[in-house]
Amino acid sequence: MPNVVAEHADRLVDQFREMVLVREFETRVSSLFEDNELPGFVHLYIGQEAIATGACWGLKDDDYITSTHRGHGHSIAKGLDPDRMMAELFGKETGYCGGKSGSMHIADVDQGMLGANGIVGAGPSLAVGAGLSIQQNDEDRVCLSFFGEGAMAEGVVHESMNLAGVQDLPVVFVCENNQYGEMTPAQDQHSVEGFEARGDVYDMPAETVDGMSVQSVHDAATRATERARNGGGPSLLICETYRYHGHYEGDPMVYRTEAEVEEWRERDPVDTLESSLLESGHVDGDDVAAIRAEASERIDEAVEFARASEYPDPESAFEGVYSEEL
Ligand SMILES: Cc1ncc(C[n+]2csc(CCOP(=O)(O)OP(=O)(O)O)c2C)c(N)n1
């Protein structure tokens, strides 16, 4: 994509920097988990980085996103602090939820991040609530809702898309088709191939894009977000992608072949962007090495911060369970 790279070189270099940071965060989490430093489960986003970065790039701080159980990439792309994310994964009090949520419920409402979510399909229903509040308060905001193709088979996702369509809500539904819902291939879980028809039935435009290309995701998300911001209602974006790691860390992955994983790795979103930027001459080998080293150092700092933080006081176990703003 040399011409596209030339036209958008500065943005693409910045997007590359963010994607490298997400990859570094996830790679480190994988080894920390293997070393038994992290309690609970982790679901990693490695392979899908172009989607979070491309989709969130044009969002304002006060726009909203909803996320999934695989939410670290979405959080970083929405501007959350890797220190507090890592501390949350370690179960420390300096984490986003005081160490009580772990990976699957990281949230920062002030930054518009309405939460990772252990309930498959829950994010789109929260997005509809956010969209309704934006509409009723006449605010200049949008909500982007990430979910997997497995969640696309959940009733609540259809109810959410229907309500968003009926009410013309400013919501962008971003379906990340990483080809498997846990151990089930997408084609065994859905009665029709492709997901664009789901947009037709809920009266919203639907577009399928290459989820391994940050440029493609960025372009489609920009169209959908502008439409939502200008009162045009919801859209559905389907991003074709792949997760390299297991459904969860420790998954033996007997349901797919190494050859299949390798085939997708050849289209790696971080490496292909790096090659395009190098080919176009917008960065050189030293620049790339510096970007990768910077990400590695940033995650070293996050791990140090998390390790040095305290565990929450057991006395605080029941704090934050119910809202005080009733
Ligand atoms: C309501 C609900 N049903 C089932 C599960 C168990 N579960 C956890 S992840 C998952 C698969 C989700 O697949 P997908 O939506 O494609 O997301 P991916 O893991 O591929 O990112 C399932 C069935 C759950 N957490 N919540």
Side-chain angles (χ1 to χ4, degrees), residues 69-70 118-120 148-151 154 178 180-182 243 247:
H69 52 285
R70 203 176 297 290
I119 302 171
V120 170
E149 88 294 338
E154 290 276 354
N178 65 10
Y180 291 90
E182 288 190 323
R243 66 163 156 77
H247 169 63

Side-chain angles (χ1 to χ4, degrees), residues 195-208:
F195 297 104
E196 286 182 22
R198 316 281 164 110
D200 296 342
V201 293
Y202 302 120
D203 191 25
M204 63 181 81
E207 196 175 344
T208 304

Side-chain angles (χ1 to χ4, degrees), residues 165-184:
V166 169
Q167 303 270 30
D168 277 330
L169 299 180
V171 178
V172 180
F173 295 92
V174 184
C175 176
E176 301 187 59
N177 181 10
N178 65 10
Q179 316 301 324
Y180 291 90
E182 288 190 323
M183 291 84 208
T184 309

Side-chain angles (χ1 to χ4, degrees), residues 142 171-172 219-229 233-237:
V142 296
V171 178
V172 180
D219 286 348
T222 303
R223 283 191 284 279
T225 307
E226 277 174 10
R227 182 170 186 274
R229 218 182 273 293
S235 306
L236 171 62
L237 190 60

Side-chain angles (χ1 to χ4, degrees), residues 195-263:
F195 297 104
E196 286 182 22
R198 316 281 164 110
D200 296 342
V201 293
Y202 302 120
D203 191 25
M204 63 181 81
E207 196 175 344
T208 304
V209 298
D210 177 4
M212 308 302 263
S213 157
V214 73
Q215 182 66 44
S216 304
V217 177
H218 177 98
D219 286 348
T222 303
R223 283 191 284 279
T225 307
E226 277 174 10
R227 182 170 186 274
R229 218 182 273 293
N230 296 327
S235 306
L236 171 62
L237 190 60
I238 302 123
C239 305
E240 293 295 327
T241 185
Y242 200 76
R243 66 163 156 77
Y244 299 166
H245 280 225
H247 169 63
Y248 56 89
E249 287 301 280
D251 172 0
M253 289 191 283
V254 290
Y255 49 89
R256 64 185 191 183
T257 62
E258 195 49 44
E260 181 183 293
V261 182
E262 281 314 308
E263 218 173 284

